[in-house]
Amino acid sequence: MAELRGIADDTVPALPRGVKFREDKARGRHVLLGPERIFEADPIATEILKRIDGRTTFKEILGQLTQLFTADEATIRPDVEALLTDLSDKQMVTL
């Protein structure tokens, strides 16, 4: 697992060139596709990745997720940071 470094509120996560987030309708799942790699997203990761558009800040994404999951930011922030940091380390998300 990636070392948790923390993500600044004004960070704008984006998918780097060559990385796509797609729904695999045949298999009923969402996948993150990169050069020579594929990651299957679970339902929570799917909700996080749906919000990465290269315009929305990390703080705004957290706000949307707190409403969606009816949870406070302090509860979900560490998990969202861990996922995005891990994907960043794998060059599947830019932070």
Side-chain angles (χ1 to χ4, degrees):
M1 180 161 222
E3 177 186 333
L4 192 59
R5 295 184 294 265
I7 299 173
D9 287 345
D10 62 347
T11 297
V12 179
L15 298 180
R17 187 174 170 169
V19 175
K20 307 286 183 216
F21 181 61
R22 298 280 186 250
E23 181 180 8
D24 182 347
K25 292 182 182 182
R27 293 179 181 86
R29 63 182 181 176
H30 283 81
V31 293
L32 191 60
L33 304 166
E36 299 184 26
R37 56 176 83 176
I38 183 171
F39 294 97
E40 183 177 339
D42 66 25
I44 293 173
T46 295
E47 290 302 328
I48 296 167
L49 291 168
K50 281 181 183 178
R51 289 160 173 77
I52 296 177
D53 58 11
R55 295 181 305 274
T56 306
T57 66
F58 180 64
K59 181 75 170 178
E60 292 167 333
I61 291 170
L62 284 175
Q64 293 171 13
L65 294 170
T66 59
Q67 291 178 356
L68 177 69
F69 294 116
T70 318
D72 62 90
E73 183 180 313
T75 301
I76 66 167
R77 184 181 190 112
D79 294 331
V80 177
E81 283 181 331
L83 173 71
L84 293 180
T85 300
D86 184 52
L87 291 173
S88 176
D89 290 345
K90 294 174 177 152
Q91 300 178 344
M92 297 296 282
V93 171
T94 59
L95 298 175

Coordinates of all heavy atoms in Angstrom, one line a residue:
M1 N 0.8 -1.2 0.0 CA 0.0 0.0 0.0 C 0.9 1.2 0.0 O 1.9 1.3 0.6 CB -0.9 0.0 1.2 CG -1.8 1.1 1.3 SD -3.2 0.7 2.4 CE -4.5 1.5 1.4
A2 N 0.4 2.3 -0.6 CA 1.2 3.5 -0.7 C 1.3 4.2 0.6 O 0.4 4.1 1.4 CB 0.5 4.5 -1.7
E3 N 2.4 4.9 0.8 CA 2.6 5.7 2.0 C 1.6 6.9 2.0 O 1.6 7.6 1.0 CB 4.0 6.2 2.1 CG 4.3 7.0 3.3 CD 5.7 7.6 3.2 OE1 6.6 7.0 2.6 OE2 5.9 8.7 3.8
L4 N 0.9 7.1 3.0 CA -0.1 8.2 3.1 C 0.7 9.5 3.3 O 1.3 9.7 4.3 CB -1.1 8.0 4.2 CG -2.3 8.9 4.1 CD1 -3.1 8.7 2.8 CD2 -3.3 8.5 5.3
R5 N 0.6 10.4 2.3 CA 1.3 11.7 2.3 C 0.4 12.8 2.5 O 0.8 13.9 2.8 CB 2.1 11.9 1.0 CG 3.2 10.9 0.8 CD 4.0 11.2 -0.4 NE 3.2 11.0 -1.7 CZ 3.2 9.9 -2.4 NH1 3.9 8.9 -2.0 NH2 2.5 9.9 -3.5
G6 N -0.9 12.7 2.3 CA -1.8 13.7 2.4 C -2.0 14.5 1.1 O -1.0 14.6 0.3
I7 N -3.1 14.9 0.8 CA -3.4 15.7 -0.5 C -4.0 17.0 -0.1 O -4.9 17.1 0.7 CB -4.4 14.9 -1.4 CG1 -3.8 13.5 -1.8 CG2 -4.7 15.7 -2.6 CD1 -4.8 12.6 -2.5
A8 N -3.4 18.1 -0.7 CA -3.9 19.4 -0.4 C -5.3 19.6 -0.9 O -5.6 19.0 -2.0 CB -2.9 20.5 -1.0
D9 N -6.1 20.4 -0.2 CA -7.5 20.6 -0.6 C -7.6 21.2 -2.0 O -8.6 20.9 -2.7 CB -8.2 21.6 0.4 CG -8.5 20.9 1.7 OD1 -8.4 19.7 1.8 OD2 -8.8 21.7 2.7
D10 N -6.7 22.0 -2.4 CA -6.8 22.7 -3.8 C -6.1 21.9 -4.9 O -6.1 22.3 -6.0 CB -6.1 24.1 -3.7 CG -4.7 24.1 -3.4 OD1 -4.1 23.0 -3.0 OD2 -4.0 25.1 -3.6
T11 N -5.7 20.6 -4.6 CA -5.2 19.8 -5.6 C -6.3 19.4 -6.6 O -7.4 19.1 -6.2 CB -4.6 18.5 -5.0 OG1 -3.5 18.9 -4.2 CG2 -4.1 17.5 -6.0
V12 N -6.0 19.3 -7.9 CA -7.0 19.0 -8.9 C -6.5 17.6 -9.5 O -5.7 17.6 -10.4 CB -7.1 20.0 -10.0 CG1 -8.1 19.6 -11.0 CG2 -7.5 21.4 -9.4
P13 N -7.1 16.5 -9.0 CA -6.7 15.2 -9.6 C -7.2 15.1 -11.0 O -8.2 15.7 -11.4 CB -7.5 14.2 -8.7 CG -7.9 14.9 -7.5 CD -8.0 16.4 -7.9
A14 N -6.3 14.4 -11.8 CA -6.7 14.2 -13.2 C -6.2 12.9 -13.7 O -5.3 12.3 -13.0 CB -6.0 15.3 -14.1
L15 N -6.7 12.4 -14.8 CA -6.2 11.2 -15.4 C -5.1 11.6 -16.4 O -5.3 12.5 -17.2 CB -7.3 10.4 -16.1 CG -8.4 9.9 -15.3 CD1 -9.5 9.2 -16.1 CD2 -7.9 9.1 -14.1
P16 N -3.9 11.0 -16.3 CA -2.9 11.4 -17.2 C -3.2 10.9 -18.7 O -4.0 10.1 -18.9 CB -1.6 10.7 -16.7 CG -2.1 9.7 -15.7 CD -3.5 10.0 -15.3
R17 N -2.5 11.5 -19.6 CA -2.6 11.1 -21.0 C -2.4 9.6 -21.1 O -1.5 9.0 -20.6 CB -1.5 11.8 -21.8 CG -1.7 11.7 -23.2 CD -0.6 12.6 -23.9 NE -0.6 12.2 -25.3 CZ 0.1 13.0 -26.2 NH1 0.7 14.0 -25.8 NH2 0.1 12.6 -27.4
G18 N -3.3 9.0 -21.9 CA -3.3 7.5 -22.1 C -4.0 6.7 -21.1 O -4.1 5.5 -21.2
V19 N -4.6 7.3 -20.0 CA -5.3 6.6 -19.0 C -6.8 7.0 -19.2 O -7.2 8.1 -19.3 CB -4.8 7.0 -17.6 CG1 -5.7 6.3 -16.5 CG2 -3.4 6.6 -17.4
K20 N -7.6 5.9 -19.2 CA -9.1 6.1 -19.3 C -9.8 5.4 -18.2 O -9.4 4.3 -17.8 CB -9.5 5.6 -20.7 CG -8.8 6.1 -21.9 CD -9.1 7.5 -22.2 CE -8.4 7.9 -23.5 NZ -8.0 9.2 -23.5
F21 N -10.9 6.0 -17.8 CA -11.8 5.4 -16.9 C -13.1 5.0 -17.6 O -13.7 5.9 -18.2 CB -12.1 6.3 -15.7 CG -13.1 5.7 -14.7 CD1 -12.7 4.5 -14.0 CD2 -14.3 6.2 -14.4 CE1 -13.5 4.0 -13.0 CE2 -15.1 5.7 -13.4 CZ -14.7 4.6 -12.8
R22 N -13.4 3.7 -17.7 CA -14.5 3.3 -18.5 C -15.4 2.3 -17.8 O -14.9 1.5 -17.0 CB -14.0 2.6 -19.8 CG -13.2 3.5 -20.7 CD -14.1 4.3 -21.6 NE -13.3 5.1 -22.5 CZ -13.1 6.4 -22.5 NH1 -13.6 7.1 -21.6 NH2 -12.4 7.0 -23.4
E23 N -16.7 2.2 -18.3 CA -17.6 1.2 -17.8 C -17.4 0.0 -18.7 O -17.5 0.1 -20.0 CB -19.0 1.7 -17.8 CG -20.0 0.6 -17.3 CD -21.4 1.1 -17.3 OE1 -21.7 2.2 -17.8 OE2 -22.2 0.4 -16.8
D24 N -17.2 -1.2 -18.2 CA -17.1 -2.4 -18.9 C -18.5 -3.1 -18.8 O -18.8 -3.8 -17.9 CB -16.0 -3.3 -18.4 CG -15.9 -4.6 -19.1 OD1 -16.8 -5.0 -20.0 OD2 -14.9 -5.3 -18.9
K25 N -19.4 -2.7 -19.7 CA -20.8 -3.1 -19.6 C -20.9 -4.7 -19.7 O -21.8 -5.2 -19.1 CB -21.6 -2.5 -20.7 CG -21.8 -1.0 -20.4 CD -22.7 -0.3 -21.5 CE -22.7 1.2 -21.2 NZ -23.6 1.9 -22.1
A26 N -20.1 -5.3 -20.5 CA -20.1 -6.7 -20.7 C -19.9 -7.5 -19.4 O -20.5 -8.5 -19.1 CB -19.1 -7.2 -21.7
R27 N -19.1 -6.9 -18.5 CA -18.7 -7.5 -17.2 C -19.4 -6.8 -16.0 O -19.2 -7.3 -14.9 CB -17.2 -7.6 -17.0 CG -16.5 -8.5 -18.0 CD -15.0 -8.5 -17.9 NE -14.4 -9.3 -18.8 CZ -14.0 -9.0 -20.1 NH1 -14.3 -7.7 -20.5 NH2 -13.4 -9.8 -20.9
G28 N -20.1 -5.7 -16.3 CA -20.8 -5.1 -15.2 C -19.9 -4.4 -14.2 O -20.2 -4.5 -13.0
R29 N -18.8 -3.8 -14.7 CA -17.9 -3.1 -13.7 C -17.3 -1.9 -14.4 O -17.4 -1.7 -15.6 CB -16.8 -4.1 -13.3 CG -16.0 -4.6 -14.5 CD -14.9 -5.6 -14.2 NE -14.2 -5.9 -15.4 CZ -13.2 -6.7 -15.4 NH1 -12.7 -7.3 -14.3 NH2 -12.5 -6.9 -16.6
H30 N -16.6 -1.1 -13.6 CA -15.8 0.0 -14.2 C -14.3 -0.4 -14.1 O -13.9 -1.1 -13.1 CB -16.0 1.3 -13.3 CG -17.3 1.9 -13.7 ND1 -18.5 1.5 -13.2 CD2 -17.6 2.9 -14.5 CE1 -19.5 2.2 -13.6 NE2 -19.0 3.1 -14.4
V31 N -13.5 0.1 -15.0 CA -12.1 -0.2 -15.1 C -11.3 1.1 -15.4 O -11.8 2.0 -16.1 CB -11.8 -1.3 -16.1 CG1 -12.3 -2.6 -15.7 CG2 -12.2 -0.9 -17.5
L32 N -10.1 1.1 -14.8 CA -9.2 2.2 -15.1 C -8.1 1.6 -16.0 O -7.5 0.6 -15.6 CB -8.6 2.7 -13.8 CG -7.7 3.9 -13.8 CD1 -8.5 5.1 -14.3 CD2 -7.1 4.3 -12.5
L33 N -8.1 2.1 -17.2 CA -7.2 1.5 -18.3 C -6.0 2.4 -18.5 O -6.2 3.6 -18.7 CB -8.0 1.4 -19.6 CG -9.2 0.6 -19.6 CD1 -10.0 0.8 -20.8 CD2 -8.9 -0.9 -19.4
G34 N -4.8 1.8 -18.4 CA -3.6 2.5 -18.7 C -2.8 1.7 -19.7 O -3.1 0.6 -20.0
P35 N -1.7 2.3 -20.1 CA -0.8 1.6 -21.0 C -0.3 0.2 -20.4 O 0.3 0.2 -19.3 CB 0.4 2.5 -21.2 CG -0.1 3.9 -20.9 CD -1.2 3.6 -19.9
E36 N -0.7 -0.8 -21.0 CA -0.4 -2.2 -20.5 C -0.8 -2.5 -19.1 O -0.2 -3.4 -18.5 CB 1.1 -2.4 -20.7 CG 1.6 -2.3 -22.1 CD 3.1 -2.6 -22.3 OE1 3.6 -3.3 -21.5 OE2 3.6 -2.0 -23.3
R37 N -1.9 -1.9 -18.6 CA -2.4 -2.2 -17.3 C -3.9 -1.9 -17.2 O -4.4 -1.1 -17.9 CB -1.6 -1.6 -16.2 CG -1.5 -0.1 -16.3 CD -0.8 0.6 -15.1 NE 0.6 0.5 -15.3 CZ 1.5 1.1 -14.5 NH1 1.1 1.7 -13.5 NH2 2.8 1.0 -14.7
I38 N -4.5 -2.6 -16.3 CA -5.9 -2.4 -16.1 C -6.2 -2.6 -14.6 O -5.7 -3.5 -14.0 CB -6.8 -3.4 -17.0 CG1 -8.3 -3.1 -16.8 CG2 -6.5 -4.8 -16.7 CD1 -9.2 -3.8 -17.7
F39 N -7.0 -1.7 -14.0 CA -7.4 -1.9 -12.6 C -8.9 -1.9 -12.6 O -9.6 -1.0 -13.1 CB -6.9 -0.7 -11.8 CG -5.4 -0.6 -11.7 CD1 -4.7 0.2 -12.5 CD2 -4.8 -1.4 -10.7 CE1 -3.3 0.3 -12.4 CE2 -3.4 -1.4 -10.6 CZ -2.7 -0.5 -11.5
E40 N -9.5 -2.9 -11.9 CA -10.9 -3.0 -11.8 C -11.3 -2.2 -10.5 O -10.7 -2.4 -9.5 CB -11.3 -4.5 -11.6 CG -12.8 -4.7 -11.4 CD -13.3 -6.1 -11.3 OE1 -12.5 -7.0 -11.7 OE2 -14.4 -6.3 -10.8
A41 N -12.3 -1.3 -10.7 CA -12.7 -0.4 -9.6 C -13.8 -1.0 -8.9 O -14.8 -1.4 -9.5 CB -13.0 0.9 -10.2
D42 N -13.7 -1.1 -7.5 CA -14.9 -1.5 -6.7 C -15.9 -0.4 -6.7 O -15.6 0.7 -7.2 CB -14.4 -2.0 -5.3 CG -13.8 -0.9 -4.5 OD1 -14.2 0.3 -4.7 OD2 -13.0 -1.2 -3.6
P43 N -17.0 -0.6 -6.1 CA -18.1 0.5 -6.1 C -17.6 1.8 -5.5 O -18.0 2.9 -6.0 CB -19.2 -0.1 -5.4 CG -19.1 -1.6 -5.6 CD -17.6 -1.8 -5.6
I44 N -16.9 1.8 -4.4 CA -16.4 3.0 -3.8 C -15.4 3.7 -4.7 O -15.4 4.9 -4.9 CB -15.9 2.8 -2.4 CG1 -17.1 2.3 -1.5 CG2 -15.3 4.0 -1.8 CD1 -16.8 1.9 -0.1
A45 N -14.4 2.9 -5.2 CA -13.4 3.5 -6.1 C -14.1 4.1 -7.3 O -13.6 5.1 -7.8 CB -12.4 2.5 -6.4
T46 N -15.1 3.4 -7.8 CA -15.8 3.9 -9.0 C -16.4 5.3 -8.7 O -16.3 6.2 -9.5 CB -16.9 3.0 -9.4 OG1 -16.4 1.7 -9.8 CG2 -17.8 3.5 -10.5
E47 N -17.0 5.5 -7.5 CA -17.6 6.8 -7.2 C -16.5 7.9 -7.1 O -16.7 9.0 -7.5 CB -18.4 6.8 -5.9 CG -19.6 6.0 -6.0 CD -20.6 6.5 -7.1 OE1 -20.6 7.7 -7.3 OE2 -21.3 5.7 -7.7
I48 N -15.3 7.5 -6.6 CA -14.2 8.5 -6.5 C -13.7 8.8 -7.9 O -13.6 10.0 -8.3 CB -13.1 7.9 -5.6 CG1 -13.5 7.7 -4.2 CG2 -11.8 8.8 -5.7 CD1 -12.6 6.9 -3.3
L49 N -13.5 7.8 -8.7 CA -12.9 8.0 -10.0 C -13.9 8.7 -11.0 O -13.4 9.5 -11.8 CB -12.5 6.7 -10.6 CG -11.3 6.0 -10.0 CD1 -11.1 4.6 -10.4 CD2 -10.0 6.8 -10.2
K50 N -15.2 8.6 -10.8 CA -16.1 9.3 -11.6 C -16.0 10.8 -11.5 O -16.3 11.6 -12.4 CB -17.6 8.9 -11.2 CG -18.1 7.6 -11.7 CD -19.5 7.5 -11.2 CE -20.1 6.2 -11.6 NZ -21.5 6.0 -11.0
R51 N -15.5 11.3 -10.3 CA -15.4 12.7 -10.0 C -14.0 13.3 -10.5 O -13.8 14.5 -10.4 CB -15.6 12.9 -8.5 CG -17.1 12.6 -8.2 CD -17.3 12.3 -6.8 NE -18.8 12.3 -6.5 CZ -19.6 11.3 -6.8 NH1 -19.1 10.2 -7.4 NH2 -20.9 11.3 -6.6
I52 N -13.1 12.5 -11.0 CA -11.8 13.0 -11.4 C -12.0 13.5 -12.9 O -12.1 12.7 -13.8 CB -10.7 11.9 -11.3 CG1 -10.6 11.6 -9.8 CG2 -9.4 12.4 -11.9 CD1 -9.6 10.6 -9.5
D53 N -12.0 14.8 -13.0 CA -12.3 15.4 -14.4 C -11.2 16.4 -14.8 O -11.3 17.0 -15.8 CB -13.7 16.0 -14.4 CG -13.9 17.1 -13.4 OD1 -12.9 17.5 -12.7 OD2 -15.0 17.5 -13.2
G54 N -10.2 16.6 -13.9 CA -9.2 17.6 -14.2 C -9.6 19.0 -13.9 O -8.8 19.9 -14.2
R55 N -10.7 19.2 -13.4 CA -11.2 20.5 -13.0 C -11.7 20.6 -11.5 O -11.6 21.7 -10.9 CB -12.4 20.9 -13.9 CG -12.1 21.1 -15.4 CD -13.3 21.5 -16.2 NE -14.4 20.6 -16.1 CZ -14.6 19.5 -16.7 NH1 -13.8 19.1 -17.6 NH2 -15.7 18.7 -16.6
T56 N -12.1 19.5 -11.0 CA -12.7 19.5 -9.6 C -11.6 19.3 -8.6 O -10.7 18.4 -8.8 CB -13.7 18.4 -9.5 OG1 -14.7 18.5 -10.6 CG2 -14.4 18.4 -8.2
T57 N -11.5 20.2 -7.6 CA -10.5 20.1 -6.6 C -10.8 18.9 -5.7 O -11.9 18.3 -5.6 CB -10.4 21.3 -5.7 OG1 -11.6 21.4 -4.9 CG2 -10.2 22.6 -6.5
F58 N -9.7 18.5 -5.0 CA -9.8 17.4 -4.0 C -10.9 17.7 -3.0 O -11.7 16.8 -2.6 CB -8.5 17.1 -3.4 CG -8.5 16.0 -2.4 CD1 -8.7 14.7 -2.8 CD2 -8.2 16.2 -1.1 CE1 -8.7 13.6 -1.9 CE2 -8.2 15.2 -0.1 CZ -8.5 13.9 -0.5
K59 N -10.9 18.9 -2.5 CA -11.9 19.3 -1.5 C -13.3 19.2 -2.0 O -14.2 18.7 -1.3 CB -11.6 20.8 -1.0 CG -12.5 21.3 0.0 CD -12.2 20.7 1.4 CE -13.0 21.4 2.5 NZ -12.7 20.8 3.8
E60 N -13.5 19.6 -3.3 CA -14.9 19.5 -3.9 C -15.3 18.0 -4.0 O -16.4 17.7 -3.8 CB -14.9 20.2 -5.2 CG -14.8 21.7 -5.1 CD -14.5 22.4 -6.4 OE1 -13.9 21.8 -7.4 OE2 -14.9 23.6 -6.6
I61 N -14.3 17.2 -4.4 CA -14.6 15.7 -4.5 C -15.0 15.2 -3.2 O -16.0 14.4 -3.1 CB -13.4 15.0 -5.1 CG1 -13.2 15.4 -6.6 CG2 -13.5 13.5 -5.0 CD1 -11.9 14.9 -7.2
L62 N -14.2 15.5 -2.1 CA -14.6 15.1 -0.8 C -16.0 15.5 -0.4 O -16.8 14.8 0.2 CB -13.6 15.6 0.2 CG -12.2 14.9 0.3 CD1 -11.3 15.7 1.3 CD2 -12.4 13.5 0.6
G63 N -16.3 16.8 -0.7 CA -17.7 17.3 -0.4 C -18.8 16.5 -1.1 O -19.8 16.1 -0.5
Q64 N -18.5 16.1 -2.4 CA -19.5 15.3 -3.1 C -19.6 13.9 -2.5 O -20.7 13.4 -2.4 CB -19.1 15.2 -4.6 CG -19.2 16.5 -5.3 CD -18.5 16.4 -6.7 OE1 -18.3 15.3 -7.2 NE2 -18.3 17.5 -7.3
L65 N -18.5 13.4 -2.1 CA -18.5 12.0 -1.5 C -19.2 12.0 -0.1 O -19.8 11.0 0.2 CB -17.1 11.4 -1.5 CG -16.5 11.2 -2.8 CD1 -15.0 10.9 -2.7 CD2 -17.2 10.1 -3.6
T66 N -19.0 13.0 0.7 CA -19.6 13.1 2.0 C -21.1 13.1 1.9 O -21.8 12.5 2.7 CB -19.1 14.3 2.8 OG1 -19.4 15.5 2.2 CG2 -17.6 14.2 3.1
Q67 N -21.6 13.8 0.9 CA -23.1 13.8 0.6 C -23.5 12.5 0.1 O -24.6 12.0 0.6 CB -23.4 14.9 -0.4 CG -23.2 16.3 0.2 CD -23.6 17.4 -0.8 OE1 -23.9 17.1 -1.9 NE2 -23.5 18.6 -0.4
L68 N -22.8 11.9 -0.8 CA -23.2 10.6 -1.4 C -23.3 9.5 -0.3 O -24.2 8.7 -0.3 CB -22.3 10.2 -2.5 CG -22.5 8.9 -3.2 CD1 -23.8 8.9 -4.0 CD2 -21.3 8.5 -4.1
F69 N -22.2 9.4 0.5 CA -22.1 8.4 1.5 C -22.6 8.7 2.8 O -22.6 7.9 3.8 CB -20.7 7.9 1.6 CG -20.2 7.2 0.3 CD1 -19.1 7.8 -0.4 CD2 -20.8 6.1 -0.2 CE1 -18.7 7.2 -1.6 CE2 -20.3 5.5 -1.3 CZ -19.3 6.1 -2.0
T70 N -23.2 9.9 3.0 CA -23.7 10.4 4.3 C -22.6 10.2 5.4 O -22.9 9.5 6.4 CB -25.0 9.8 4.6 OG1 -25.8 9.8 3.5 CG2 -25.7 10.6 5.7
A71 N -21.4 10.7 5.1 CA -20.3 10.5 6.1 C -19.6 11.8 6.2 O -19.7 12.7 5.3 CB -19.4 9.4 5.6
D72 N -18.9 12.0 7.3 CA -18.2 13.2 7.5 C -16.8 13.1 6.8 O -16.3 12.0 6.6 CB -18.0 13.6 9.0 CG -17.3 12.6 9.8 OD1 -16.1 12.7 9.9 OD2 -17.9 11.7 10.3
E73 N -16.3 14.3 6.5 CA -15.0 14.3 5.8 C -13.9 13.6 6.5 O -13.0 13.0 5.9 CB -14.6 15.8 5.5 CG -13.4 15.9 4.6 CD -13.0 17.4 4.3 OE1 -13.9 18.1 3.9 OE2 -11.9 17.7 4.5
A74 N -13.8 13.8 7.8 CA -12.7 13.2 8.6 C -12.7 11.7 8.5 O -11.7 11.1 8.5 CB -12.8 13.7 10.0
T75 N -13.9 11.1 8.3 CA -14.0 9.7 8.2 C -13.5 9.2 6.8 O -12.8 8.2 6.7 CB -15.5 9.2 8.4 OG1 -15.9 9.7 9.7 CG2 -15.6 7.7 8.3
I76 N -13.9 9.9 5.7 CA -13.6 9.3 4.4 C -12.3 9.8 3.8 O -11.7 9.2 2.9 CB -14.8 9.6 3.4 CG1 -14.9 11.1 3.1 CG2 -16.1 9.0 3.9 CD1 -15.8 11.4 1.9
R77 N -11.8 11.0 4.3 CA -10.6 11.6 3.7 C -9.4 10.6 3.6 O -8.8 10.5 2.6 CB -10.3 12.9 4.4 CG -9.1 13.6 3.8 CD -8.7 14.9 4.5 NE -7.7 15.6 3.8 CZ -7.9 16.7 3.2 NH1 -9.1 17.3 3.3 NH2 -7.0 17.3 2.5
P78 N -9.1 9.9 4.7 CA -7.9 9.0 4.7 C -8.1 7.9 3.6 O -7.1 7.6 2.9 CB -7.9 8.4 6.1 CG -8.6 9.3 7.0 CD -9.7 10.0 6.1
D79 N -9.2 7.4 3.4 CA -9.4 6.3 2.4 C -9.3 6.9 1.0 O -8.7 6.3 0.1 CB -10.8 5.7 2.6 CG -10.9 4.9 3.9 OD1 -9.8 4.4 4.4 OD2 -12.0 4.8 4.4
V80 N -9.9 8.1 0.8 CA -9.8 8.7 -0.6 C -8.4 9.1 -0.9 O -7.9 8.8 -2.0 CB -10.7 9.9 -0.7 CG1 -10.6 10.6 -2.0 CG2 -12.2 9.5 -0.4
E81 N -7.7 9.7 0.1 CA -6.2 10.0 0.0 C -5.4 8.7 -0.3 O -4.6 8.8 -1.2 CB -5.7 10.7 1.2 CG -6.1 12.1 1.3 CD -5.5 12.8 2.6 OE1 -5.3 12.1 3.6 OE2 -5.3 14.0 2.5
A82 N -5.7 7.7 0.4 CA -4.9 6.4 0.1 C -5.1 5.9 -1.3 O -4.1 5.5 -1.9 CB -5.3 5.4 1.2
L83 N -6.4 5.9 -1.7 CA -6.6 5.4 -3.1 C -5.9 6.3 -4.1 O -5.2 5.8 -5.0 CB -8.1 5.3 -3.4 CG -8.5 5.0 -4.8 CD1 -8.2 3.5 -5.1 CD2 -9.9 5.3 -5.1
L84 N -6.1 7.6 -4.0 CA -5.5 8.5 -5.0 C -4.0 8.5 -5.0 O -3.4 8.5 -6.0 CB -6.1 9.9 -4.9 CG -7.6 10.0 -5.2 CD1 -8.1 11.5 -5.0 CD2 -7.9 9.5 -6.6
T85 N -3.4 8.4 -3.8 CA -2.0 8.4 -3.7 C -1.4 7.1 -4.3 O -0.5 7.1 -5.0 CB -1.6 8.5 -2.2 OG1 -2.0 9.7 -1.7 CG2 -0.1 8.4 -2.0
D86 N -2.1 6.0 -4.0 CA -1.7 4.7 -4.6 C -1.8 4.7 -6.1 O -0.8 4.3 -6.8 CB -2.6 3.6 -4.0 CG -2.1 2.2 -4.5 OD1 -0.9 1.9 -4.4 OD2 -3.0 1.4 -5.0
L87 N -2.9 5.2 -6.7 CA -3.0 5.3 -8.1 C -2.0 6.3 -8.7 O -1.5 6.1 -9.8 CB -4.4 5.7 -8.5 CG -5.5 4.6 -8.3 CD1 -6.9 5.2 -8.5 CD2 -5.2 3.4 -9.1
S88 N -1.7 7.4 -8.0 CA -0.7 8.3 -8.4 C 0.7 7.7 -8.5 O 1.5 7.8 -9.4 CB -0.6 9.5 -7.5 OG 0.4 10.4 -7.9
D89 N 1.0 6.9 -7.5 CA 2.3 6.1 -7.4 C 2.4 5.2 -8.6 O 3.5 4.9 -9.1 CB 2.5 5.4 -6.1 CG 2.7 6.3 -4.9 OD1 3.0 7.5 -5.1 OD2 2.5 5.7 -3.8
K90 N 1.3 4.7 -9.1 CA 1.2 3.8 -10.3 C 1.1 4.5 -11.6 O 0.9 3.9 -12.6 CB 0.1 2.8 -10.1 CG 0.4 1.8 -8.9 CD -0.8 0.9 -8.7 CE -0.5 0.0 -7.5 NZ -1.6 -0.5 -6.8
Q91 N 1.1 5.9 -11.5 CA 1.0 6.8 -12.7 C -0.4 6.6 -13.4 O -0.4 6.7 -14.6 CB 2.2 6.6 -13.6 CG 3.5 6.9 -13.0 CD 4.7 6.6 -13.8 OE1 4.6 6.0 -14.9 NE2 5.8 7.2 -13.4
M92 N -1.4 6.3 -12.6 CA -2.7 6.2 -13.2 C -3.6 7.4 -12.9 O -4.7 7.6 -13.4 CB -3.4 4.9 -12.6 CG -2.7 3.7 -13.0 SD -2.7 3.4 -14.8 CE -4.4 2.7 -15.1
V93 N -3.1 8.3 -12.0 CA -3.8 9.6 -11.6 C -2.7 10.6 -11.3 O -1.6 10.2 -10.8 CB -4.6 9.4 -10.3 CG1 -5.1 10.7 -9.8 CG2 -5.8 8.5 -10.6
T94 N -2.9 11.8 -11.8 CA -1.9 12.9 -11.4 C -2.5 13.7 -10.3 O -3.7 14.0 -10.3 CB -1.6 13.8 -12.6 OG1 -2.8 14.3 -13.1 CG2 -0.9 13.0 -13.7
L95 N -1.7 14.1 -9.4 CA -2.1 14.9 -8.2 C -1.3 16.2 -8.2 O -0.2 16.3 -8.7 CB -1.9 14.2 -6.9 CG -2.6 12.9 -6.7 CD1 -2.2 12.2 -5.5 CD2 -4.1 13.2 -6.7

